[in-house]
Amino acid sequence: MLDVQVVLNGRNATAGDLAASAQSLLRSVGTLELAHTDEETVRVLWERFGASVSAFEVLRPEVPLLVAPGGVVFAVGAVRRVVAQTEVPGRRVSRVFLPGLGPQEHLACWSASFLHSYQGSIAALVDADLAFDREHLSHSSPQARTWLPAHAVGVALTSEIGGDLARWSRRTGLALDARGVWTKSVRGPAGAVRRRLLRRRHRRQGAGVPRSLR
């Protein structure tokens, strides 16, 4: 299981939305927490998932914080892909671009380095929007924030995947992992070969140029 604090934002989400999100997330994390949910919704989710779900009360600044709105589901490996982006030097937040989210719905993962220095409230982190970023992130560092396309990390809305969440999660995760392996094992060496051939061609071309013109 990944060592990351996960919070589901229940604002404008039904119990069914939150249950689908929780089901997909609990494949990768041992527990998750709920924000902006009423007591009845918490009870329904607790009856289904037990002690794996609880209310969001305490921030764990030693690990990344993933905040997701209800109704967003994660394929196998999606949490790992998003969290990995917070390990980039200088990274403070990785946001996932997912068309269809409402104006108050944000999917973001905050790095532990940011949380260590953060002095605001935990409630503000749940609702953190782009105005929050402008206030708290460096304006001079291009690494402070990154945007991740949802399809590239394996994130979708429940309305996009149909009824078989487990099948979608498994197939999407395997496809993305296979694509990542192909990129590293095939495209990387192929690119290196092309670069070597290009350098060799440049050397041959340079050999025919008079020294006075080099």
Side-chain angles (χ1 to χ4, degrees), residues 2-6 28-29 31 60 63-66 79 83 109:
L2 292 170
D3 195 10
V4 54
Q5 186 172 17
V6 177
S28 300
V29 298
T31 61
R60 297 172 55 203
V63 297
L65 171 69
L66 175 66
V79 177
V83 171
C109 188

Side-chain angles (χ1 to χ4, degrees), residues 101-191:
L101 290 182
Q104 293 183 312
E105 297 176 322
H106 310 281
L107 204 174
C109 188
W110 299 91
S111 69
S113 59
F114 171 81
L115 298 176
H116 270 296
S117 59
Y118 177 65
Q119 300 296 319
S121 69
I122 61 173
L125 282 172
V126 175
D127 297 316
D129 55 12
L130 300 187
F132 180 96
D133 291 3
R134 289 191 291 271
E135 179 181 352
H136 291 88
L137 302 183
S138 169
H139 295 276
S140 60
S141 172
Q143 296 292 346
R145 181 181 66 192
T146 189
W147 285 95
L148 307 172
H151 70 272
V153 291
V155 175
L157 297 172
T158 53
S159 58
E160 297 176 335
I161 64 171
D164 196 338
L165 173 59
R167 183 171 182 267
W168 169 85
S169 176
R170 184 170 55 254
R171 290 186 61 181
T172 301
L174 289 173
L176 287 172
D177 283 344
R179 189 181 307 167
V181 170
W182 181 84
T183 299
K184 293 177 182 178
S185 64
V186 178
R187 291 183 62 189

